[in-house]
């Protein structure tokens, strides 16, 4: 089942809005480990949000 691109964007934006601010700040960290961990959290949040829409 394919989702409309606008729905995908809305789900992703909603998932990003729910990510804690501290995680968002770590996305620009100069410490690679912190940045990678934050990227993993964001990616997992998006995947979970998209999976819940199916």
């Amino acid at each position: 089942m394919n989702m409309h691109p606008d729905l995908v964007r809305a789900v992703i934006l909603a998932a990003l809005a729910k990510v804690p601010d501290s995680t968002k700040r770590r996305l620009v960290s100069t410490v690679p480990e912190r940045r990678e961990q934050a990227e993993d959290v964001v990616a997992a949040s998006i995947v979970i949000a998209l999976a819940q829409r199916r």
Side-chain angles (χ1 to χ4, degrees), residues 3 11-12 14-16 43-54:
M3 291 179 17
V11 171
I12 290 172
L16 290 174
S45 298
I46 292 170
V47 169
I48 290 168
L50 289 171
Q52 290 174 342
R53 287 296 307 173
R54 292 194 172 229

Side-chain angles (χ1 to χ4, degrees), residues 1-19:
M1 176 179 190
N2 289 330
M3 291 179 17
H4 190 278
D6 290 338
L7 178 58
V8 172
R9 282 188 210 102
V11 171
I12 290 172
L13 288 175
L16 290 174
K18 292 180 182 179
V19 172

Side-chain angles (χ1 to χ4, degrees), residues 16-41:
L16 290 174
K18 292 180 182 179
V19 172
D21 288 340
S22 59
T23 300
K24 292 175 192 171
R25 283 191 297 273
R26 287 188 202 123
L27 288 171
V28 295
S29 174
T30 57
V31 179
E33 293 82 15
R34 285 185 183 165
R35 190 174 56 250
E36 290 169 8
Q37 183 184 26
E39 291 170 355
D40 289 345
V41 169

